[in-house]
Amino acid sequence: MFTYKPLSTELAKAVQVPINGPLVEVHLSNLSDLPKGVGNRSIPPAHCVLNENYKLFADRIRNLTVYEDDLWIVTAPKCGTTWTQEMMWLLDNELNYQKASEINLIDRSIFLEFCTLVPSFDKDTVALVERMTRPRHIKSHLPMALLPKQLWTVRPRIVYCARNPKDMITSFSHHYRHLHGYMGTRDTFLEAMLQDVVMYQPQIPHTLDFWCIRDEPNIFFIHFEEMKRNMAKVLERACKFLGKSYTQQQLQRLEEHLSFEVMRKNDSANNSVLLKLMKSISLTETNDNFQFMRKGEVGSHREELSSEYIHRLNIYIERHLKGSNFKFVE
């Protein structure tokens, strides 16, 4: 069902970290289970850089039982995942802020493949998803080709959030250092991103696969940037997608709850629990002042990436988008 290509170049080895272990490219062999129009494109569906340990779970995830009342949050890393999870959970659960404050987001919207990425983690997150009380909210960074095949026959609700790669890479560089324990240089990491040899890469094909099915009634495709610039409009669209109706006052309160300033301080939804967990099992020292929700800005790459790297990144993005009508929001 899958083929695996070890990443053995010096650059790939330089960005591998002990907490994840050796990395491999994971490819789906049989494309017939994918949504119509994705597997048949001239460009193959997105593969994914994961770790060797993922092999032990790949078939279980691919064959996971999916239910019609599931809600899946799918994104590439650092593309508004946590934000989207909190938004969709509250909208889908009658704006139950009390329950949201009592149950951490990592338990309300379980990260499906987390245990595969961190072999020393003592819980089986795939089993946790299997045992969740329905209706389930499930988070994943996996590309379409590696997700459960029943997603495309059972057709539960799927929310996909895209983000401009320039800001994603900027954010991911901090994430990879402080959560994964990467100790190498920033230049090496940035070069590795251009070569697609970092965990969960490549991002752009990941996004294009979901862009291909954006018009399906069970797909809600949004952009990180539109959430930042016009959250009210996103909430309106999200309510329509979920078949929910709330007053303007209720939605204004939710918009305030979802603001970066409030989310960052909300320990039930800001992934501070995940950050502490990663620090507790990491083999390297990390910055105690780092916060999972760091800036949440549009265009922050201009402050951190060199003009030369941005130029190379623009060429990289154009190459990956060739033949597509999709455009990332600036």
Side-chain angles (χ1 to χ4, degrees), residues 14-17 173 176-177 181-189 284:
V15 292
Q16 294 180 9
V17 293
S173 67
Y176 209 65
R177 180 172 298 280
Y182 171 67
M183 300 295 287
T185 69
R186 194 153 189 265
D187 286 346
T188 298
F189 175 85
T284 55

Side-chain angles (χ1 to χ4, degrees), residues 66-74 88 91-93 135-138 151 154-160 217-220 241-244:
V66 172
Y67 301 102
E68 288 184 3
D69 56 359
D70 284 347
L71 191 149
W72 289 69
I73 305 294
V74 182
M88 299 308 295
L91 287 173
D92 202 33
N93 284 271
R136 308 180 301 181
H137 277 225
I138 303 163
L151 284 174
V154 177
R155 297 169 64 82
R157 300 163 299 172
I158 302 174
V159 182
Y160 189 91
N218 66 314
I219 304 296
F220 182 47
F241 174 73
L242 295 173
K244 298 287 185 178

